[in-house]
């Protein structure tokens, strides 16, 4: 029996944006600046804290911020969106299931629906709907890396006990990420692990949530451990 509806998320990706990872705020949040080295167009993932510091870095790199890429709409991932849009005119890419939570007056909204390619200059990423932590949780896949928000952490995964969380969906979302090419680098939404980034291969070997043999085992572990 073959697995139904398993498709290759990493097929025919556009060239990957370059990536700068920054830790911001007091909750160990990571922001990524994704940019095209040719056009200098940039996207900022989950701007919530220290927008001035993020924009200082984009100015230092001679980048034009065109987009806020939202993985999910918890406050520690979106509280800086309005400020970022005001200061740069950036549009906001977010899954429609969570778009109402983004308060950025006059913003241009771009629907980051599953499978959609989002251009960053001449580079680009693909939105992967990965619910479980939230209803519209989205990872952004580039050729060689994936930005995983609060779905997959280095050595962990997101909680499923907040509003909109769902342990079965989280399990499916993690399985989807686990099928990405093993060398894919993982950029998580928080600095909770031993290293700031990892790879799918390393997580498959070491992450206790990815090593579960069954959903039942995963559910018992996820619903016991609140981290
Ligand atoms: Zn969250």
């Amino acid at each position: 029996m073959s697995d139904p509806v398993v498709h290759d998320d990493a097929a025919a990706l556009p060239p990957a944006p370059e990536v700068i990872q920054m830790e911001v705020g007091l909750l160990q949040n990571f922001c990524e600046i994704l940019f095209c080295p040719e056009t200098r167009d940039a996207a900022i993932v989950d701007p919530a804290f220290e927008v001035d510091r993020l924009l200082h870095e984009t100015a230092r790199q001679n980048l034009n911020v065109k987009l806020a890429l939202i993985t999910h709409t918890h406050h520690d991932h979106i509280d800086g969106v309005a400020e970022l849009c005001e200061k740069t005119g950036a549009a906001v890419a977010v899954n429609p299931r969570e778009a109402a939570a983004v308060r950025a007056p006059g913003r241009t909204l771009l629907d980051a629906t599953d499978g959609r390619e989002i251009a960053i200059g001449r580079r680009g990423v693909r939105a992967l709907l990965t619910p479980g932590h939230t209803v519209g949780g989205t990872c952004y896949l580039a050729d060689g890396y994936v930005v995983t928000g609060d779905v997959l952490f280095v050595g962990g995964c997101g909680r499923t006990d907040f509003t909109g969380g769902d342990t079965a969906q989280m399990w499916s979302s993690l399985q989807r990420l686990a099928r990405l090419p093993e060398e894919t680098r993982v950029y998580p939404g928080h600095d909770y692990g031993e290293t700031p980034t990892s790879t799918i291969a390393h997580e498959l070997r070491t992450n206790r949530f990815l090593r579960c043999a069954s959903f039942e085992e995963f559910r018992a572990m996820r619903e016991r451990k609140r981290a």
Side-chain angles (χ1 to χ4, degrees), residues 72 74 76-77 133 150:
H72 68 295
H74 285 156
D76 59 319
H77 294 259
H133 179 66
D150 288 3

Side-chain angles (χ1 to χ4, degrees), residues 150-201:
D150 288 3
V151 178
L152 177 63
F153 299 128
V154 175
C157 77
R159 292 172 56 160
T160 59
D161 59 327
F162 298 127
T163 305
D166 184 298
T167 304
Q169 288 185 344
M170 175 60 90
W171 170 249
S172 300
S173 294
L174 290 172
Q175 298 305 303
R176 186 175 184 183
L177 295 175
R179 287 192 297 269
L180 294 174
E182 290 207 335
E183 66 277 13
T184 304
R185 185 148 292 278
V186 173
Y187 285 89
H190 290 269
D191 188 10
Y192 291 161
E194 290 180 347
T195 52
T197 70
S198 179
T199 61
I200 294 295

Side-chain angles (χ1 to χ4, degrees), residues 97-157:
R97 295 180 188 178
E98 296 191 29
V102 178
R103 282 175 295 276
R107 73 206 187 280
T108 305
L109 271 187
L110 203 151
D111 287 340
T113 45
D114 188 51
R116 174 148 185 194
E117 268 177 31
I118 297 167
I120 300 168
R122 293 185 196 127
R123 312 291 177 102
V125 295
R126 181 173 292 154
L128 303 186
L129 178 62
T130 47
H133 179 66
T134 60
V135 292
T138 298
C139 294
Y140 294 98
L141 177 66
D143 187 4
Y145 65 86
V146 60
V147 175
T148 56
D150 288 3
V151 178
L152 177 63
F153 299 128
V154 175
C157 77

Side-chain angles (χ1 to χ4, degrees), residues 20 22 33 52-62:
I20 299 168
M22 292 176 71
I33 300 167
D52 279 340
R53 201 174 129 230
L54 294 167
L55 292 179
H56 182 80
E57 181 62 17
T58 55
R60 200 175 72 83
Q61 302 277 351
N62 193 28

